[in-house]
Amino acid sequence: MEDYKNLELGIERLRQPLSLEQVNSSILTPYRQILSSMRQVYIFGCKQLGKKVYEGCVTAGLDVLGFIDNNSSLHDKQCCGKKVYALKELPPKTPAVIIIASTTHEYELHNQLILAGFVNVIAYPVLSVFDAVHFPPEAVHKNMQVDLIKNTEHYLQLYQTLADQKSKRTINGIIKYRMTLNPVFLKEICQTEQPEYFDTDVVRINHEEVFVDGGGYDGDTVLNFLQATNNQYKKIYFFEPDGKLILKAKQTLAEFTDIIFFEAAIYSHAKTLRFKTTGGLDGMFDEEGDREVKAMMLDECINEKITFLKLDVEGAETDALIGAKKHLEQDVPTLAISGYHNPADIWQLPELIKSLNSSYQIYLRHYSNTSYETIVYAI
């Protein structure tokens, strides 16, 4: 049996008086020496976040010596006017600080740097706590510590209502991460052996499922659903507001029948919304978005019984659930909901689900070494 004290470590910290200043100080303490001597930096990662870090460094008066990337095709080229290096080109004893500019691969890159002998290493989420003006936090980290302190009682209530020990272990790992920003605590709870959304430890799938994929992207989740059901199901409803992704999904799923595609978002009510398209996983509602999209509520556009509802709609999960109120009350579908786009989602979504139908049992699972891919299951 898992050690009880270790299981309770995160939640026990919340049961004690705790201030935002204390939490932020505990995050920054291991990096004080690095931060106090940070003058010259290398940026590890040339993608969007790397460019954002570069702009922050320039405005903060830091000297960017170059970029580092594991993609060999970028080596000796330039990013933001600076040379891109292979890590092996840098001496491990360099006094320059290496900023990890990758949310998705932070854990792996940190380990790579430490194993290579580099010690002046700091990840972007920690840098955001230190200086949010020049290095504003990524959306998934924004107000993460504030929410922990402001809504402590909701976290404690969630812990008490979770349906199994693995869920309790998961919320403890998330709390420990939010208090320290050390991704090792997410690594400890990562469910690498289970499929996201269709975790056999939690859900039971049969061959008569009416599956709703909210935020279908290019059809990847439906493919996982088909694998879980051995291609046997009753019907699939596919929602994706990005037209280009809808086309990809239709091509990917062309051989399968009884799939109804909606080029639309799922929302609390029917309306037209501004949407920011990226062609990737992070398209979202945005008042300054580049196009208008149709938003629909599930209670109005699906008349038959739903048995399984998956939602990954970039922060609009609350609205989507409100728009499915009748289905949750009458059909009681299995729910697999992304619970990480906003820090408060981890407790707000379970509370909303229980308010819509108190018979649901709530489970939590986490599927990455980062802040992404926490799933709220309701059974």
Side-chain angles (χ1 to χ4, degrees):
M1 182 177 291
E2 184 172 9
D3 182 72
Y4 178 78
K5 290 183 178 179
N6 183 57
L7 177 66
E8 290 271 292
L9 182 59
I11 211 73
E12 284 300 328
R13 286 285 304 277
L14 281 189
R15 291 188 175 121
Q16 303 165 10
L18 202 61
S19 69
L20 180 62
E21 291 73 19
Q22 286 175 310
V23 173
N24 286 346
S25 178
S26 67
I27 290 171
L28 295 176
T29 293
Y31 302 95
R32 293 292 184 191
Q33 185 173 349
I34 294 173
L35 291 166
S36 64
S37 61
M38 187 167 62
R39 302 291 183 272
Q40 295 181 319
V41 303
Y42 289 97
I43 300 170
F44 203 152
C46 295
K47 293 184 178 180
Q48 184 177 349
L49 182 55
K51 295 171 184 176
K52 177 180 175 180
V53 173
Y54 175 79
E55 293 173 0
C57 289
V58 171
T59 57
L62 299 175
D63 182 14
V64 179
L65 301 180
F67 284 78
I68 308 166
D69 205 284
N70 286 328
N71 184 349
S72 59
S73 68
L74 298 177
H75 297 163
D76 293 324
K77 295 183 180 178
Q78 290 197 341
C79 181
C80 299
K82 298 291 182 178
K83 181 179 176 179
V84 181
Y85 294 89
L87 183 61
K88 63 184 180 181
E89 295 181 75
L90 274 61
K93 301 298 183 182
T94 176
V97 173
I98 298 178
I99 301 172
I100 299 175
S102 173
T103 306
T104 306
H105 302 291
E106 177 192 341
Y107 179 84
E108 292 83 357
L109 296 183
H110 183 270
N111 283 352
Q112 179 185 355
L113 288 164
I114 298 304
L115 289 172
F118 294 90
V119 292
N120 293 327
V121 177
I122 192 165
Y124 188 76
V126 176
L127 201 57
S128 294
V129 173
F130 175 68
D131 182 358
V133 174
H134 295 103
F135 305 101
E138 295 285 271
V140 71
H141 290 101
K142 190 174 182 180
N143 295 322
M144 183 176 280
Q145 287 72 41
V146 172
D147 186 71
L148 199 62
I149 301 304
K150 183 179 178 181
N151 295 299
T152 295
E153 289 304 316
H154 292 281
Y155 284 85
L156 295 175
Q157 181 180 344
L158 171 64
Y159 182 83
Q160 294 302 323
T161 59
L162 289 172
D164 68 350
Q165 286 294 88
K166 190 172 285 189
S167 297
K168 292 177 185 290
R169 181 174 181 267
T170 300
I171 189 59
N172 269 280
I174 290 170
I175 291 170
K176 287 188 285 186
Y177 172 75
R178 293 184 177 190
M179 286 184 170
T180 63
L181 293 183
N182 186 342
V184 71
F185 294 121
L186 299 179
K187 173 68 174 177
E188 289 177 352
I189 60 173
C190 179
Q191 302 293 303
T192 56
E193 74 283 0
Q194 288 284 356
E196 187 174 1
Y197 304 117
F198 309 109
D199 195 317
T200 57
D201 212 24
V202 180
V203 302
R204 298 292 179 267
I205 300 178
N206 61 53
H207 295 157
E208 291 295 319
E209 300 286 357
V210 177
F211 176 62
V212 177
D213 189 354
Y217 186 51
D218 62 1
D220 58 342
T221 300
V222 169
L223 289 177
N224 290 335
F225 169 76
L226 293 169
Q227 182 176 3
T229 61
N230 196 26
N231 296 343
Q232 298 181 58
Y233 57 92
K234 185 175 181 181
K235 191 175 292 184
I236 296 171
Y237 290 92
F238 186 99
F239 291 82
E240 171 56 54
D242 188 325
K244 292 182 179 179
L245 291 175
I246 279 277
L247 289 176
K248 288 183 180 179
K250 287 182 176 180
Q251 293 169 359
T252 299
L253 304 170
E255 65 181 282
F256 301 100
T257 60
D258 295 313
I259 302 179
I260 300 175
F261 293 90
F262 291 88
E263 188 176 334
I266 303 177
Y267 204 58
S268 56
H269 54 284
K271 66 177 301 185
T272 299
L273 294 168
R274 300 297 300 183
F275 189 82
K276 178 182 177 182
T277 54
T278 66
L281 292 166
D282 55 348
M284 66 183 71
F285 296 134
D286 189 323
E287 292 181 358
E288 299 180 359
D290 57 300
R291 61 188 289 253
E292 290 185 340
V293 299
K294 180 191 296 185
M296 309 173 73
M297 57 185 297
L298 290 180
D299 283 343
E300 290 184 350
C301 64
I302 299 180
N303 295 320
E304 67 179 308
K305 180 179 179 178
I306 296 172
T307 65
F308 197 121
L309 171 59
K310 167 259 176 178
L311 291 173
D312 183 357
V313 287
E314 300 303 318
E317 285 78 11
T318 293
D319 290 296
L321 286 169
I322 291 171
K325 179 181 179 182
K326 290 181 182 178
H327 282 293
L328 266 64
E329 290 175 342
Q330 298 172 11
D331 305 345
V332 201
T334 295
L335 305 178
I337 315 296
S338 294
Y340 57 87
H341 293 111
N342 305 299
D345 284 348
I346 195 72
W347 58 266
Q348 280 186 342
L349 292 174
E351 289 186 5
L352 173 61
I353 292 167
K354 295 285 281 187
S355 73
L356 295 174
N357 190 329
S358 61
S359 69
Y360 274 112
Q361 296 294 308
I362 305 297
Y363 297 79
L364 285 183
R365 296 293 188 268
H366 189 80
Y367 299 94
S368 78
N369 299 332
T370 72
S371 296
Y372 298 99
E373 316 312 334
T374 302
I375 303 302
V376 177
Y377 290 97
I379 308 299

